[in-house]
Amino acid sequence: MSFLIQQTLLYSIPLMIVALAGVFSERSGVINLALEGIMIMGAFIGVIATRSLQSLQIFVDAQASGNWAMLQLMELMIMLIAAFAGAVFSLLLSYSAINLRADQTIGGTALNLLAPAICLFLIRVIANQNTLGMENGSSPADWFMIKRSTLGIDPMQKLDFFTETFVVKNYLATYICIIIFVIMAIILYKTRFGLRLRACGENPQAAASLGINVFKMRYAGVTISGALAGMGGFVYAMTTQNCTSNGDVAGFGFLALAVMIFGNWKPLNIAFASLIFGFFKCIAASYSTLDINGDGVYFLRDTIKVSPYLYMMMPFVITLIVLSLTSKNSRAPKAEGIPYDKGMR
Amino acid sequence: MNNKLSLLYRKDGTQKFLSSLIAILLGMVFGSVLIAIVGATNPDIGGKGILDGIKLVFLGLFSTGTKNGALTFGFNPTLFGDMLFRATPLIMTGLSVAVSQKTGLFNIGAPGQYLMGTLASLMIALSIPTTTVPPAVVWLLAFLGGCLAGALWGAIPGLLKAFLNINEVLACIMTNWIAANLVTLLFDIGKFSIFTGAQTSAMGDPIVLHGSFKNLIESTKSAYIYKTTYNNVATPKLGLDKLLPGSQVNGGILIAIAIAVLVYIIIHKTTFGYQLKACGANRHAARYAGIQDKRNIVFSMAIAGCLAGAGAALYWLSGNTEFAWQTYQSLPAVGFNGIPVALLAINNPIGVIFSGILMAMLNIIGTRLTALTSYNEYITDVIIAAIVYLSAFALMIRMWLSGSNKKKMLAFKPAAVNPEPPKPAETEKPVEAIKPPEDPAPVVSENQEGGAQV
């Protein structure tokens, strides 16, 4: 049971943060189809940063002596770098969508094509193969994972359910993402900035008439979106892909888009939706090894016998159904996808 | 002569063509810059490596290999044939995107439709035994099956758009990933059993394909579906392989070109095509004029899906391609590359033929870079992505092309205040203007302007 919850969280948290990234962009009036591309970029830069920080003596010593505070600091630094990379990459989208008033769908598609291409091109040049991992074949479990030894717990000691599930074998990144999610949701709903941002996505002309700079607000929305998505991309790569980058996040960015739609562009619903979708993803991933009650029978593979691909398909099917059921009262921002034109009313 | 040239230059079509050309060149320059940067930071590559890389980006199609460490260039029939072979599905997905664009819909669902076409055509081609049914009939059935599967898959977002007003981009993204998992699922559990007759195994026994579609006969190939040649199904070469020896080219490219011409005729010369375009221009006005907008939106998406499915059928039925069935992690690039193909052709079906071949050329350039330098084929994708991004700037490039009146066009675009056209009009138009004095209709606004200026 703890395994299932842990795994679900691993998939849900990046999904949640990237879906929130989508909300920030769309609420400011720019459709961000590039979530997938930004995630790929964030993951790639994150892995590059991990590799270069790994060779610094201070962190090598910290890892050797088990100085976990130092290592967690390193993890935070890499998350920040990945967020910065995502924000910079998303500027390409803002420039074409806001300054040039180009088609946002095409701009997003271009970024989705560009990110894997550049990443794979560089990975092949750097590593001469299609996957870039950490230096010397080490894994994030050695460096960043919170383990029994990190906390000084005896390996044989029986743990209570809470510690077993939410502390041991977890990553600090998961909780940082949750905190960031809450903070960003509050910013979006309870601050002046958030209100202005949302106004630009509903009726930019009205917002401009009250002295709000729509261009700046949309730039802010897309850049925040890029930072969150870039960070989410790295967290996804670190926690579920063993800190590797291969120019691919397996459609995770599009899944986040589905989460955003399913959650009706609202943070609380998104948190809920990402748990459901993360659960499907987790079931599909641990299909052949999931042993719920520990009796040696692989429940999904041997008892239910439904193909794992069906579980992976479910989130998209559900989203399509939800889309068609709620099309009449969808809360999608009114002005999303429409370039802002001062002269229009 | 000079006047004619400047007239040609001012034509809308010419400027569109030029802006596409500039987008392509800028994309290639961007690729070259990336090559130079990577080369400069990597001591193994060096100045000569950078130069070779850039040469190949622009002239890769004419590369014939290396001699004494230096690249040689010339006509290479193998590369030309491979280019035409790879262009086949690109033309079809490009048409798919272009047709939907005519109705004002952005078909980002081409990858999913392409996958469904692949599923249907491969399953049909492999599970009807050619020992009893002639291979040509099986090929035709598989091709039509691919078209139908793509059409049905494309119709889903069309129906959702027409009747529930759901954004087709979102619906297409969802159907893409459903298709990616569905295709993997069905190839994973699909079962069939046929006796293929002509083929024999290494031991000389006749092969009976049974069990799953996964290639279990050849070792290490279980991630792939059987080639259709196991069932003697392959697109006829139509002599093209004699023309371009050593390449994978087959009759598929001719079929693709024929379909492109057919689509051009349907869109531009029939009532149905006009209705599609009317819905794209203004759905509500079209309905007011008595056009069934909902039906046309569904048809447009279904045709788009049909074209993408046909592209898949033409590619996978060729007999020399193997389909990796685990598609659940990524969507086929061919589907997405239909977007730049259509963008570069400005949605003109005839233009799609050329832009499709051009995209295929970029593909070939990528393979040459991998083979001959320390760079790799992903530079192609970088260039294509740059082209898509730049095509967002197409409007700006067009403004820049039209020169001095740039600022006025930037501000607004009323053609009436355009000071440029009168000059050529003065020399040629007056003759026409005098000839039909009884014609009351003011034919061209340019004439009036010219008069006003004089």
Side-chain angles (χ1 to χ4, degrees), chain A residues 205-330:
Chain A
Q205 279 78 20
S209 76
L210 295 174
I212 298 171
N213 188 335
V214 178
F215 275 40
K216 268 189 193 163
M217 277 297 157
R218 288 196 166 176
Y219 257 103
V222 179
T223 309
I224 291 174
S225 172
L228 290 176
M231 194 175 71
F234 172 67
V235 172
Y236 168 80
M238 179 179 73
T239 54
T240 67
Q241 303 297 302
N242 208 15
C243 206
T244 59
S245 164
N246 55 359
D248 193 354
V249 287
F252 214 73
F254 290 116
L255 194 63
L257 212 60
V259 166
M260 182 187 76
I261 297 163
F262 187 79
N264 224 349
W265 290 265
K266 288 177 189 157
L268 203 64
N269 300 7
I270 282 172
F272 174 68
S274 63
L275 283 178
I276 301 179
F277 287 14
F279 181 66
F280 278 117
K281 195 92 183 167
C282 149
I283 287 184
S286 54
Y287 172 71
S288 56
T289 54
L290 189 65
D291 179 6
I292 289 178
N293 43 12
D295 58 359
V297 177
Y298 296 126
F299 180 68
L300 289 172
R301 197 186 62 185
D302 301 338
T303 318
I304 296 189
K305 288 183 182 167
V306 175
S307 171
Y309 306 111
L310 195 72
Y311 299 112
M312 283 198 234
M313 199 163 81
M314 284 319 283
F316 300 107
V317 178
I318 293 173
T319 307
L320 206 55
I321 293 170
V322 165
L323 259 178
S324 32
L325 291 181
T326 61
S327 66
K328 290 283 183 293
N329 49 7
S330 165

Side-chain angles (χ1 to χ4, degrees), chain B residues 77-256:
Chain B
T78 314
L79 293 186
F80 260 84
D82 286 350
M83 175 179 80
L84 291 179
F85 175 64
R86 289 181 187 212
T88 313
L90 283 170
I91 290 174
M92 298 308 290
T93 49
L95 282 176
S96 167
V97 177
V99 164
S100 62
Q101 202 80 283
K102 289 275 180 196
T103 322
L105 304 166
F106 187 61
N107 181 20
I108 203 173
Q113 295 145 12
Y114 183 84
L115 279 175
M116 295 311 280
T118 309
L119 177 81
S121 56
L122 278 180
M123 280 199 165
I124 294 172
L126 285 172
S127 50
I128 302 177
T130 42
T131 41
T132 49
V133 182
V137 175
V138 176
W139 188 93
L140 198 65
L141 285 175
F143 177 73
L144 293 177
C147 295
L148 189 67
L152 289 175
W153 207 248
I156 296 173
L159 286 167
L160 291 175
K161 171 80 180 180
F163 292 99
L164 296 168
N165 203 20
I166 292 168
N167 186 343
E168 79 280 2
V169 172
L170 296 178
C172 278
I173 288 173
M174 300 308 145
T175 50
N176 271 350
W177 287 95
I178 294 172
N181 286 298
L182 192 64
V183 167
T184 314
L185 176 88
L186 291 179
F187 273 131
D188 190 29
I189 61 172
K191 297 259 190 294
F192 78 120
S193 176
I194 57 164
F195 171 60
T196 63
Q199 298 254 341
T200 50
S201 73
M203 311 294 288
D205 306 320
I207 291 179
V208 179
L209 298 180
H210 55 77
S212 75
F213 289 97
K214 294 173 236 171
N215 189 343
L216 302 174
I217 288 185
E218 292 170 74
S219 56
T220 73
K221 283 282 180 70
S222 62
Y224 295 92
I225 302 299
Y226 288 113
K227 281 184 184 179
T228 50
T229 42
Y230 271 100
N231 197 17
N232 297 320
V233 176
T235 315
K237 300 265 186 196
L238 299 179
L240 286 173
D241 54 332
K242 304 269 191 320
L243 210 62
L244 300 164
S247 71
Q248 297 176 305
V249 70
N250 61 36
I253 182 73
L254 299 180
I255 299 174

